[in-house]
Amino acid sequence: MDVEKVFHMSGGVGKTSYAQNSSLQKNASDMVKHITLETMQQLYKEVNPKSLSIADLGCSSGPNSLSLIKDIVEAVQGSSHKMFRPSPEFRVFLNDLPTNDFNSVFKSLPDFYRDLKKDKNGRCPAVFISGCPGSFYGRLFPNNCLHFIYSSYSLHWLSKVPPGLYDEHGKSINKGGVYISELSPPSVSQAYWNQFQEDFSLFLKSRSEELVTGGRMVLITLGRIGQGHVDRGNSFFWEILSKCLAISVSQGEIEKEKLDSYDVHFYAASRNEVEDEVRREGSFKLERMEMLEIKKQVKGGDSYGTAVAMTVRAIQESMLCHHFGDGINLDTLFNNYAKMVDQEMANQQINPITFLLVLKKL
Protein backbone atom coordinates (compact mmCIF):
# COMPACT_ATOMS: atom_id res chain seq x y z
CA MET A 1 0.00 0.00 0.00
CA ASP A 2 1.34 3.39 -1.00
CA VAL A 3 0.72 5.40 2.17
CA GLU A 4 1.48 8.72 0.50
CA LYS A 5 -1.29 8.18 -2.06
CA VAL A 6 -3.91 6.72 0.29
CA PHE A 7 -3.50 8.10 3.81
CA HIS A 8 -5.35 11.25 4.83
CA MET A 9 -7.63 12.47 7.58
CA SER A 10 -11.33 12.42 6.63
CA GLY A 11 -11.98 15.68 4.81
CA GLY A 12 -14.84 18.16 4.78
CA VAL A 13 -16.79 19.27 7.82
CA GLY A 14 -19.31 16.42 8.14
CA LYS A 15 -20.11 14.28 11.18
CA THR A 16 -17.23 11.84 10.58
CA SER A 17 -14.69 14.42 9.37
CA TYR A 18 -11.41 15.14 11.10
CA ALA A 19 -12.52 18.76 11.43
CA GLN A 20 -15.38 17.60 13.68
CA ASN A 21 -13.38 14.91 15.48
CA SER A 22 -10.01 16.36 16.43
CA SER A 23 -10.85 17.88 19.83
CA LEU A 24 -8.68 15.32 21.66
CA GLN A 25 -5.66 16.52 19.68
CA LYS A 26 -6.67 20.15 20.31
CA ASN A 27 -6.84 19.53 24.06
CA ALA A 28 -3.27 18.22 24.06
CA SER A 29 -1.84 21.05 21.94
CA ASP A 30 -3.62 23.58 24.17
CA MET A 31 -1.99 22.03 27.24
CA VAL A 32 1.46 22.91 25.89
CA LYS A 33 0.55 26.01 23.89
CA HIS A 34 2.37 28.24 26.37
CA ILE A 35 5.59 26.33 25.61
CA THR A 36 5.03 26.65 21.86
CA LEU A 37 4.49 30.40 22.12
CA GLU A 38 7.42 30.91 24.51
CA THR A 39 9.68 29.05 22.08
CA MET A 40 8.45 31.20 19.18
CA GLN A 41 8.94 34.43 21.14
CA GLN A 42 12.46 33.44 22.22
CA LEU A 43 13.38 32.68 18.60
CA TYR A 44 11.99 36.03 17.47
CA LYS A 45 14.03 37.90 20.09
CA GLU A 46 17.22 36.12 19.03
CA VAL A 47 16.85 36.33 15.25
CA ASN A 48 14.75 39.50 14.79
CA PRO A 49 13.74 38.70 11.19
CA LYS A 50 11.81 41.15 9.05
CA SER A 51 10.01 38.18 7.53
CA LEU A 52 9.30 35.20 9.76
CA SER A 53 8.92 31.79 8.06
CA ILE A 54 6.80 29.15 9.79
CA ALA A 55 5.87 25.63 8.67
CA ASP A 56 3.15 23.41 10.11
CA LEU A 57 3.97 19.83 9.15
CA GLY A 58 0.93 17.56 9.11
CA CYS A 59 -1.57 20.42 9.23
CA SER A 60 -4.56 18.23 8.24
CA SER A 61 -7.88 19.86 7.31
CA GLY A 62 -9.50 20.84 10.60
CA PRO A 63 -9.44 24.13 12.53
CA ASN A 64 -6.50 23.25 14.79
CA SER A 65 -3.72 24.45 12.51
CA LEU A 66 -5.02 27.96 11.78
CA SER A 67 -5.96 28.41 15.43
CA LEU A 68 -2.34 27.86 16.45
CA ILE A 69 -1.03 30.12 13.67
CA LYS A 70 -3.29 32.91 14.92
CA ASP A 71 -1.90 32.49 18.45
CA ILE A 72 1.68 32.59 17.12
CA VAL A 73 1.08 35.75 15.10
CA GLU A 74 -0.47 37.53 18.07
CA ALA A 75 2.31 36.39 20.43
CA VAL A 76 5.05 37.65 18.10
CA GLN A 77 3.22 40.93 17.58
CA GLY A 78 3.03 41.34 21.34
CA SER A 79 6.77 40.75 21.64
CA SER A 80 7.58 43.21 18.84
CA HIS A 81 5.44 45.88 20.50
CA LYS A 82 7.20 45.42 23.85
CA MET A 83 10.61 45.66 22.17
CA PHE A 84 9.58 48.68 20.05
CA ARG A 85 10.22 46.74 16.85
CA PRO A 86 8.05 46.81 13.74
CA SER A 87 5.98 43.67 13.44
CA PRO A 88 7.47 41.16 10.97
CA GLU A 89 5.71 39.68 7.99
CA PHE A 90 4.66 36.06 8.43
CA ARG A 91 5.17 33.43 5.75
CA VAL A 92 3.20 30.33 6.74
CA PHE A 93 3.50 27.00 4.95
CA LEU A 94 0.85 24.36 5.63
CA ASN A 95 2.12 20.89 4.82
CA ASP A 96 0.43 17.52 4.57
CA LEU A 97 0.25 14.62 2.14
CA PRO A 98 -1.14 15.44 -1.34
CA THR A 99 -4.46 13.69 -0.58
CA ASN A 100 -5.15 16.07 2.33
CA ASP A 101 -8.28 18.24 2.04
CA PHE A 102 -6.41 21.52 1.58
CA ASN A 103 -9.54 23.10 0.10
CA SER A 104 -11.27 23.04 3.48
CA VAL A 105 -8.31 24.86 5.00
CA PHE A 106 -8.25 27.51 2.29
CA LYS A 107 -12.02 28.05 2.54
CA SER A 108 -11.57 28.97 6.20
CA LEU A 109 -8.92 31.64 5.47
CA PRO A 110 -11.38 34.57 5.16
CA ASP A 111 -12.59 33.87 8.71
CA PHE A 112 -8.98 33.54 9.86
CA TYR A 113 -8.02 36.95 8.45
CA ARG A 114 -11.20 38.51 9.80
CA ASP A 115 -10.41 37.27 13.31
CA LEU A 116 -6.88 38.67 13.06
CA LYS A 117 -8.30 42.11 12.29
CA LYS A 118 -10.36 42.24 15.46
CA ASP A 119 -9.13 44.77 18.01
CA LYS A 120 -6.55 46.05 15.49
CA ASN A 121 -8.56 48.93 14.02
CA GLY A 122 -9.39 46.77 11.01
CA ARG A 123 -5.78 46.33 10.00
CA CYS A 124 -4.68 42.78 9.33
CA PRO A 125 -1.10 41.66 10.01
CA ALA A 126 0.91 40.68 6.95
CA VAL A 127 0.33 36.92 7.02
CA PHE A 128 0.89 35.00 3.77
CA ILE A 129 -0.35 31.41 3.84
CA SER A 130 0.29 28.71 1.25
CA GLY A 131 -0.08 24.95 0.97
CA CYS A 132 2.88 22.61 0.58
CA PRO A 133 1.78 19.06 -0.28
CA GLY A 134 4.27 16.25 0.21
CA SER A 135 5.77 13.85 2.73
CA PHE A 136 7.90 15.39 5.48
CA TYR A 137 10.10 12.30 5.29
CA GLY A 138 12.31 14.15 2.84
CA ARG A 139 12.95 17.73 1.73
CA LEU A 140 10.03 20.13 1.37
CA PHE A 141 11.66 23.60 1.39
CA PRO A 142 14.84 25.33 0.16
CA ASN A 143 17.96 25.55 2.31
CA ASN A 144 17.91 27.84 5.34
CA CYS A 145 14.49 29.31 4.60
CA LEU A 146 12.50 28.45 7.76
CA HIS A 147 12.68 29.92 11.26
CA PHE A 148 10.12 27.80 13.07
CA ILE A 149 8.59 24.36 12.49
CA TYR A 150 5.56 23.03 14.30
CA SER A 151 4.13 19.53 14.04
CA SER A 152 1.27 18.19 16.14
CA TYR A 153 0.25 14.53 16.18
CA SER A 154 1.92 13.66 12.89
CA LEU A 155 5.33 12.14 13.60
CA HIS A 156 4.00 8.90 15.03
CA TRP A 157 2.86 8.13 11.47
CA LEU A 158 5.61 6.31 9.64
CA SER A 159 6.41 6.82 5.97
CA LYS A 160 5.19 3.29 5.22
CA VAL A 161 4.14 0.04 6.80
CA PRO A 162 7.48 -1.53 7.86
CA PRO A 163 8.60 -3.97 5.15
CA GLY A 164 10.02 -6.22 7.88
CA LEU A 165 6.45 -7.22 8.75
CA TYR A 166 6.27 -9.46 5.67
CA ASP A 167 7.91 -12.79 4.90
CA GLU A 168 9.53 -13.79 1.61
CA HIS A 169 6.10 -14.57 0.17
CA GLY A 170 4.70 -11.16 1.04
CA LYS A 171 2.59 -12.51 3.92
CA SER A 172 2.32 -10.55 7.16
CA ILE A 173 4.02 -12.13 10.17
CA ASN A 174 1.70 -10.17 12.48
CA LYS A 175 -1.47 -12.18 11.85
CA GLY A 176 -4.66 -11.00 13.55
CA GLY A 177 -3.14 -7.80 14.84
CA VAL A 178 -2.88 -4.40 13.19
CA TYR A 179 -0.02 -3.22 15.45
CA ILE A 180 2.36 -4.61 18.05
CA SER A 181 0.49 -6.80 20.54
CA GLU A 182 1.27 -9.39 23.19
CA LEU A 183 0.82 -12.08 20.53
CA SER A 184 3.24 -10.47 18.06
CA PRO A 185 6.61 -12.18 17.52
CA PRO A 186 9.67 -10.08 18.56
CA SER A 187 10.47 -9.43 14.90
CA VAL A 188 7.33 -7.25 14.65
CA SER A 189 8.58 -4.85 17.31
CA GLN A 190 11.99 -4.82 15.63
CA ALA A 191 10.47 -4.01 12.24
CA TYR A 192 8.58 -1.03 13.64
CA TRP A 193 11.62 0.20 15.55
CA ASN A 194 13.82 -0.04 12.45
CA GLN A 195 11.31 1.95 10.39
CA PHE A 196 11.03 4.62 13.09
CA GLN A 197 14.80 5.04 13.20
CA GLU A 198 15.01 5.40 9.43
CA ASP A 199 12.10 7.85 9.22
CA PHE A 200 12.89 10.05 12.22
CA SER A 201 16.54 10.36 11.20
CA LEU A 202 15.49 11.45 7.70
CA PHE A 203 12.98 13.90 9.18
CA LEU A 204 15.65 15.52 11.36
CA LYS A 205 18.21 15.67 8.56
CA SER A 206 15.71 17.23 6.14
CA ARG A 207 14.57 19.84 8.64
CA SER A 208 18.13 20.74 9.60
CA GLU A 209 18.80 21.73 5.98
CA GLU A 210 15.63 23.84 5.79
CA LEU A 211 15.94 25.70 9.11
CA VAL A 212 18.21 28.66 9.71
CA THR A 213 20.89 28.25 12.38
CA GLY A 214 19.20 28.71 15.73
CA GLY A 215 15.79 27.85 14.25
CA ARG A 216 13.39 25.92 16.45
CA MET A 217 11.05 22.97 16.17
CA VAL A 218 8.14 22.17 18.47
CA LEU A 219 6.97 18.60 17.93
CA ILE A 220 3.98 16.95 19.62
CA THR A 221 3.75 13.20 19.12
CA LEU A 222 2.29 10.10 20.69
CA GLY A 223 4.71 7.94 22.64
CA ARG A 224 4.99 5.33 25.35
CA ILE A 225 6.49 4.83 28.81
CA GLY A 226 9.40 2.42 29.10
CA GLN A 227 10.81 -0.06 26.63
CA GLY A 228 7.82 -2.41 26.43
CA HIS A 229 5.79 -1.85 23.27
CA VAL A 230 2.49 -3.12 24.67
CA ASP A 231 0.82 -0.78 27.16
CA ARG A 232 -2.51 0.63 28.33
CA GLY A 233 -1.83 3.72 26.30
CA ASN A 234 -1.52 3.99 22.56
CA SER A 235 -1.00 0.34 21.59
CA PHE A 236 -4.14 -0.60 23.48
CA PHE A 237 -6.36 1.41 21.11
CA TRP A 238 -4.94 -0.56 18.18
CA GLU A 239 -5.67 -3.79 20.02
CA ILE A 240 -9.32 -2.72 20.25
CA LEU A 241 -9.38 -2.01 16.50
CA SER A 242 -7.99 -5.52 15.88
CA LYS A 243 -10.78 -7.01 17.99
CA CYS A 244 -13.45 -5.00 16.17
CA LEU A 245 -12.10 -6.08 12.79
CA ALA A 246 -12.14 -9.68 14.03
CA ILE A 247 -15.87 -9.26 14.79
CA SER A 248 -16.36 -8.05 11.21
CA VAL A 249 -14.59 -11.20 10.02
CA SER A 250 -16.85 -13.42 12.18
CA GLN A 251 -19.91 -11.71 10.70
CA GLY A 252 -18.69 -12.35 7.17
CA GLU A 253 -18.24 -8.68 6.24
CA ILE A 254 -14.51 -8.96 5.53
CA GLU A 255 -12.14 -11.82 4.81
CA LYS A 256 -9.75 -13.12 7.46
CA GLU A 257 -6.90 -12.91 4.96
CA LYS A 258 -7.62 -9.22 4.59
CA LEU A 259 -7.39 -8.72 8.35
CA ASP A 260 -4.16 -10.72 8.55
CA SER A 261 -2.60 -8.44 5.93
CA TYR A 262 -3.69 -5.14 7.50
CA ASP A 263 -0.95 -3.38 9.50
CA VAL A 264 -0.83 0.28 10.50
CA HIS A 265 2.07 2.63 9.72
CA PHE A 266 2.26 3.89 13.30
CA TYR A 267 4.93 3.86 16.00
CA ALA A 268 4.79 5.19 19.55
CA ALA A 269 8.42 5.77 20.48
CA SER A 270 9.79 5.85 24.02
CA ARG A 271 11.59 8.84 25.52
CA ASN A 272 14.94 7.06 25.24
CA GLU A 273 14.36 6.15 21.60
CA VAL A 274 13.58 9.76 20.70
CA GLU A 275 16.52 11.16 22.66
CA ASP A 276 18.94 8.60 21.22
CA GLU A 277 17.89 9.37 17.65
CA VAL A 278 18.22 13.14 18.12
CA ARG A 279 21.69 12.61 19.58
CA ARG A 280 22.73 10.20 16.85
CA GLU A 281 21.56 12.43 13.98
CA GLY A 282 23.39 15.37 15.54
CA SER A 283 21.81 18.44 13.90
CA PHE A 284 19.70 19.57 16.86
CA LYS A 285 19.92 20.26 20.56
CA LEU A 286 16.97 18.85 22.48
CA GLU A 287 16.13 21.87 24.62
CA ARG A 288 13.06 20.41 26.26
CA MET A 289 11.08 17.19 26.38
CA GLU A 290 7.86 16.86 28.35
CA MET A 291 5.62 13.84 28.83
CA LEU A 292 1.87 14.39 29.07
CA GLU A 293 -0.94 12.07 30.03
CA ILE A 294 -4.03 13.30 28.23
CA LYS A 295 -7.04 13.00 30.50
CA LYS A 296 -10.43 12.26 29.04
CA GLN A 297 -12.47 15.32 28.18
CA VAL A 298 -15.74 14.87 26.37
CA LYS A 299 -18.26 17.51 25.36
CA GLY A 300 -21.77 17.31 23.96
CA GLY A 301 -22.98 14.36 26.01
CA ASP A 302 -21.07 11.66 24.09
CA SER A 303 -19.24 8.93 25.97
CA TYR A 304 -15.46 8.90 25.99
CA GLY A 305 -15.52 5.72 23.91
CA THR A 306 -17.62 7.42 21.26
CA ALA A 307 -15.25 10.39 21.13
CA VAL A 308 -12.23 8.09 20.74
CA ALA A 309 -14.01 5.94 18.14
CA MET A 310 -14.92 8.97 16.04
CA THR A 311 -11.35 10.26 16.28
CA VAL A 312 -9.87 6.93 15.18
CA ARG A 313 -12.40 6.69 12.36
CA ALA A 314 -11.51 10.16 11.08
CA ILE A 315 -7.86 9.07 10.99
CA GLN A 316 -8.18 5.50 9.71
CA GLU A 317 -11.16 5.64 7.36
CA SER A 318 -9.14 6.24 4.19
CA MET A 319 -6.86 3.28 4.92
CA LEU A 320 -9.64 0.92 6.00
CA CYS A 321 -11.77 1.64 2.93
CA HIS A 322 -8.81 1.23 0.60
CA HIS A 323 -7.75 -2.10 2.14
CA PHE A 324 -11.08 -3.77 2.92
CA GLY A 325 -13.22 -2.27 0.17
CA ASP A 326 -16.96 -1.63 0.19
CA GLY A 327 -17.78 -4.69 2.28
CA ILE A 328 -16.70 -3.15 5.56
CA ASN A 329 -19.42 -1.43 7.59
CA LEU A 330 -17.64 1.44 9.30
CA ASP A 331 -20.68 2.49 11.34
CA THR A 332 -20.95 -0.96 12.92
CA LEU A 333 -17.18 -1.27 13.30
CA PHE A 334 -16.81 1.95 15.25
CA ASN A 335 -19.99 1.45 17.28
CA ASN A 336 -18.34 -1.73 18.55
CA TYR A 337 -15.12 0.21 19.07
CA ALA A 338 -16.87 2.84 21.22
CA LYS A 339 -18.52 0.17 23.39
CA MET A 340 -15.22 -1.65 23.96
CA VAL A 341 -13.41 1.54 24.98
CA ASP A 342 -16.17 2.45 27.42
CA GLN A 343 -16.10 -1.06 28.90
CA GLU A 344 -12.35 -0.88 29.40
CA MET A 345 -12.51 2.62 30.85
CA ALA A 346 -15.07 1.40 33.39
CA ASN A 347 -12.46 -1.10 34.63
CA GLN A 348 -9.27 0.94 34.37
CA GLN A 349 -8.28 4.40 33.15
CA ILE A 350 -6.51 4.56 29.79
CA ASN A 351 -4.36 7.64 29.30
CA PRO A 352 -2.43 7.83 26.01
CA ILE A 353 1.08 9.24 26.37
CA THR A 354 2.11 12.35 24.45
CA PHE A 355 5.60 13.85 24.16
CA LEU A 356 6.42 17.49 23.55
CA LEU A 357 9.86 18.18 22.05
CA VAL A 358 11.57 21.54 21.64
CA LEU A 359 14.63 21.35 19.37
CA LYS A 360 17.11 24.02 18.31
CA LYS A 361 19.19 23.75 15.16
CA LEU A 362 22.90 23.81 15.96
Side-chain angles (χ1 to χ4, degrees):
M1 184 186 301
D2 189 335
V3 168
E4 190 168 340
K5 291 182 179 179
V6 177
F7 182 57
H8 60 83
M9 306 296 105
S10 295
V13 293
K15 182 180 178 181
T16 62
S17 68
Y18 186 79
Q20 295 293 326
N21 296 285
S22 54
S23 61
L24 298 177
Q25 294 90 325
K26 180 69 161 58
N27 291 339
S29 61
D30 282 349
M31 286 177 63
V32 296
K33 183 168 68 175
H34 64 288
I35 299 176
T36 302
L37 299 183
E38 288 169 6
T39 303
M40 182 74 255
Q41 289 169 314
Q42 182 61 36
L43 167 68
Y44 175 66
K45 291 175 183 177
E46 292 176 6
V47 180
N48 189 24
K50 293 182 179 180
S51 183
L52 190 59
S53 295
I54 301 166
D56 181 348
L57 306 185
C59 66
S60 192
S61 58
N64 294 353
S65 180
L66 290 180
S67 174
L68 191 277
I69 295 301
K70 179 176 179 290
D71 291 334
I72 287 176
V73 170
E74 292 176 341
V76 171
Q77 285 194 306
S79 294
S80 65
H81 179 73
K82 290 178 181 178
M83 293 184 288
F84 302 101
R85 295 177 181 174
S87 178
E89 294 182 341
F90 297 86
R91 289 176 289 165
V92 180
F93 304 98
L94 302 179
N95 158 260
D96 214 307
L97 293 175
T99 48
N100 182 58
D101 184 7
F102 284 100
N103 282 339
S104 290
V105 180
F106 297 146
K107 286 177 181 178
S108 66
L109 285 179
D111 290 338
F112 168 79
Y113 288 119
R114 187 191 64 239
D115 290 342
L116 275 179
K117 289 180 182 179
K118 290 180 180 177
D119 302 322
K120 295 181 177 66
N121 298 320
R123 290 177 296 181
C124 186
V127 182
F128 305 96
I129 297 178
S130 59
C132 181
S135 171
F136 51 53
Y137 293 119
R139 289 290 300 277
L140 290 166
F141 306 100
N143 284 328
N144 303 312
C145 74
L146 297 176
H147 296 99
F148 184 76
I149 291 173
Y150 177 79
S151 182
S152 180
Y153 287 101
S154 297
L155 272 168
H156 42 254
W157 297 112
L158 301 172
S159 66
K160 57 187 174 183
V161 176
L165 294 180
Y166 304 98
D167 62 20
E168 64 272 17
H169 304 294
K171 302 290 185 180
S172 175
I173 61 175
N174 194 31
K175 299 186 184 302
V178 303
Y179 184 56
I180 306 166
S181 72
E182 292 179 346
L183 300 178
S184 300
S187 54
V188 169
S189 298
Q190 187 63 46
Y192 274 103
W193 162 232
N194 290 345
Q195 191 61 51
F196 167 77
Q197 284 184 302
E198 177 184 321
D199 284 347
F200 193 46
S201 176
L202 179 57
F203 176 87
L204 293 173
K205 182 178 185 300
S206 300
R207 304 294 81 79
S208 72
E209 295 174 2
E210 296 163 351
L211 278 166
V212 300
T213 300
R216 302 294 205 283
M217 289 200 295
V218 172
L219 311 176
I220 302 170
T221 184
L222 293 173
R224 71 180 197 276
I225 300 175
Q227 296 307 303
H229 288 88
V230 181
D231 57 20
R232 289 282 295 182
N234 294 299
S235 68
F236 183 76
F237 290 104
W238 295 117
E239 182 180 334
I240 291 179
L241 181 60
S242 297
K243 291 179 178 178
C244 292
L245 289 169
I247 293 174
S248 297
V249 170
S250 68
Q251 294 174 342
E253 291 182 2
I254 59 177
E255 300 174 0
K256 185 178 185 303
E257 291 75 13
K258 283 281 190 179
L259 173 56
D260 287 341
S261 62
Y262 188 69
D263 299 285
V264 295
H265 64 295
F266 171 92
Y267 187 73
S270 69
R271 176 189 290 269
N272 287 342
E273 289 171 346
V274 172
E275 291 176 338
D276 288 348
E277 204 57 40
V278 171
R279 191 179 306 112
R280 189 180 71 84
E281 196 279 330
S283 299
F284 292 90
K285 174 186 177 183
L286 183 58
E287 292 193 317
R288 187 167 187 170
M289 186 169 184
E290 305 279 348
M291 186 183 77
L292 315 169
E293 285 193 51
I294 309 303
K295 307 296 183 181
K296 63 176 182 178
Q297 289 182 304
V298 180
K299 298 179 181 178
D302 287 334
S303 72
Y304 179 71
T306 298
V308 172
M310 293 297 284
T311 299
V312 175
R313 177 173 180 169
I315 294 169
Q316 277 287 290
E317 184 164 348
S318 65
M319 302 293 282
L320 290 168
C321 290
H322 177 81
H323 185 81
F324 293 103
D326 296 334
I328 190 168
N329 187 323
L330 293 179
D331 290 337
T332 300
L333 179 77
F334 285 103
N335 283 338
N336 290 334
Y337 192 104
K339 292 175 184 176
M340 286 190 184
V341 172
D342 283 331
Q343 289 169 0
E344 291 293 336
M345 289 293 287
N347 297 325
Q348 184 181 356
Q349 189 81 359
I350 309 170
N351 293 323
I353 298 301
T354 292
F355 290 129
L356 166 87
L357 288 73
V358 179
L359 300 106
K360 179 179 180 179
K361 181 185 171 182
L362 299 173

